[in-house]
C-alpha cells in the first residue's frame, strides 16, 4: 500500500436546536493509494474507482467527484484538487 496523493476536504455538520442553527466544519483528507481510495468514513478498492472530476463553485473551492461503479461520491474542497486528479490519471490510466 503506497500513498500516491492526498488532498484536504471538509465535511459540514449542521446542528439545529430549538433556538438556533449552527455549522461545525470538520477538516478531513482523502488519500489515494495504489490499491484503494480512503476517506474518513469510506474505503474504495481501486478496481471500482472509475475517475475523479472537479467543479469549481466558489472563488477558492468546489466539489471533488469520485466516480465509482457503486455511484458518485462528492467531497467539498477549499482548493483545487488538480494535482490529486492528475496523480490518479497518470498512475492508473
Amino acid at each position: 500500500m503506497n500513498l500516491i496523493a492526498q488532498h484536504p476536504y471538509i465535511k459540514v455538520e449542521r446542528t439545529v436546536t430549538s433556538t438556533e442553527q449552527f455549522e461545525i466544519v470538520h477538516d478531513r483528507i482523502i488519500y489515494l493509494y495504489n490499491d484503494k481510495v480512503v476517506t474518513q468514513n469510506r474505503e474504495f478498492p481501486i478496481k471500482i474507482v472509475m475517475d475523479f472530476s472537479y467543479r469549481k463553485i466558489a472563488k477558492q473551492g468546489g466539489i471533488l467527484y469520485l466516480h465509482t461503479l457503486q455511484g458518485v461520491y462528492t467531497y467539498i474542497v477549499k482548493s483545487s484538487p488538480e494535482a490529486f486528479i492528475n496523480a490518479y490519471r497518470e498512475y492508473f490510466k
Side-chain angles (χ1 to χ4, degrees):
M1 177 168 65
N2 296 328
L3 180 63
I4 298 168
Q6 64 184 30
H7 192 78
Y9 69 97
I10 61 170
K11 170 73 175 167
V12 179
E13 178 184 350
R14 291 183 177 88
T15 304
V16 179
T17 66
S18 59
T19 59
E20 64 182 334
Q21 174 180 326
F22 56 94
E23 296 180 345
I24 301 170
V25 177
H26 300 278
D27 291 318
R28 298 180 176 174
I29 298 177
I30 184 169
Y31 298 96
L32 174 63
Y33 294 100
N34 63 325
D35 61 342
K36 62 186 171 183
V37 175
V38 179
T39 65
Q40 178 79 24
N41 296 313
R42 290 190 174 99
E43 193 170 295
F44 304 92
I46 205 67
K47 65 184 176 188
I48 70 161
V49 175
M50 298 169 64
D51 201 7
F52 287 92
S53 61
Y54 170 67
R55 183 168 194 181
K56 188 174 180 176
I57 59 171
K59 226 177 200 183
Q60 292 183 319
I63 299 175
L64 174 65
Y65 295 92
L66 169 55
H67 305 268
T68 73
L69 295 175
Q70 299 172 342
V72 178
Y73 296 83
T74 58
Y75 300 94
I76 300 169
V77 294
K78 292 182 178 179
S79 61
S80 173
E82 285 183 48
F84 182 86
I85 294 170
N86 289 338
Y88 168 79
R89 290 180 179 163
E90 287 176 18
Y91 194 85
F92 294 104
K93 299 292 177 167

